[in-house]
Amino acid sequence: PVVVLDSSQLSLGTGFLVERAAALAQLGKKIEEIVSILEGVMKRTYVFASLHTLEYLRRSGRMNFAIAKFGELFQIKPLLHMNMGKATAYRTRTQKRATERLMEWLNEYAPYEKLAILHAGVQEQAQALYEQVRSFLPNEEILIVQITPVLGAHLGIGALGFACISKE
């Protein structure tokens, strides 16, 4: 039997849900129970990231050329946030402020069941961020995951963020 369920997520936010569904199935849970549990987990699943540049959004057709060039001129750093299928965008003027905003969200949604750092080709920055966030999940593994090339084509090199599931 197959049930279609919109994860309302992207990237590792979806991966966390698939992982949970597989674990529940191995425990012998019925499909209705799995869907019910996943619906609760989806409400607590967040993916958010800062982008280093607007150029890749422009190249992928997600942003107008003039707006992207204007944003680059003023060093605008976009922030993307996803929860329950609602994608929202924010902006800051510096990379430092973008990272501060990511940390504010991280504090807001704590404590966590699962936490991962997502990045697009900036392993060293992700590793440095790991040291800052280790205390959020001291007894569990915090993954550092490079995003897929498909997502990276839209977000661009330098994207850095988090996927997480808050505790109930």
Side-chain angles (χ1 to χ4, degrees):
V2 174
V3 171
V4 177
L5 177 67
D6 180 355
S7 71
S8 302
Q9 268 304 328
L10 56 88
S11 186
L12 197 53
T14 301
F16 284 161
L17 296 171
V18 170
E19 183 181 68
R20 177 69 60 90
L24 292 168
Q26 279 193 326
L27 292 173
K29 298 284 185 187
K30 294 183 181 199
I31 201 154
E32 297 81 16
E33 292 175 279
I34 294 172
V35 169
S36 176
I37 291 169
L38 289 180
E39 287 171 346
V41 173
M42 287 164 35
K43 293 174 185 172
R44 302 179 285 115
T45 302
Y46 302 88
V47 174
F48 44 95
S50 68
L51 309 186
H52 184 68
T53 179
L54 297 169
E55 179 63 19
Y56 294 89
L57 289 174
R58 183 196 63 77
R59 287 182 188 177
S60 70
R62 304 265 185 248
M63 181 171 281
N64 175 289
F65 176 82
I67 293 171
K69 287 301 177 188
F70 179 79
E72 290 292 327
L73 178 68
F74 287 99
Q75 299 179 4
I76 300 295
K77 302 299 179 199
L79 297 159
L80 304 177
H81 186 282
M82 174 70 93
N83 174 253
M84 288 302 296
K86 183 178 178 193
T88 39
Y90 303 87
R91 64 181 180 271
T92 62
R93 286 286 313 268
T94 64
Q95 191 62 51
K96 179 182 176 190
R97 181 62 191 124
T99 302
E100 287 171 358
R101 184 64 181 123
L102 293 177
M103 296 304 290
E104 288 169 9
W105 280 327
L106 208 56
N107 281 306
E108 182 180 338
Y109 305 132
Y112 296 105
E113 288 179 15
K114 288 259 192 199
L115 177 62
I117 299 169
L118 306 172
H119 73 92
V122 287
Q123 180 72 29
E124 289 178 10
Q125 290 177 3
Q127 196 65 46
L129 199 55
Y130 176 88
E131 299 306 323
Q132 290 180 321
V133 303
R134 186 72 199 120
S135 62
F136 283 102
L137 209 57
N139 300 321
E140 300 291 331
E141 181 181 21
I142 297 176
L143 301 172
I144 298 178
V145 178
Q146 183 158 316
I147 62 173
T148 66
V150 171
L151 194 52
H154 298 286
L155 303 182
I157 295 171
L160 189 62
F162 298 96
C164 57
I165 300 175
S166 296
K167 284 188 177 179
E168 287 187 78

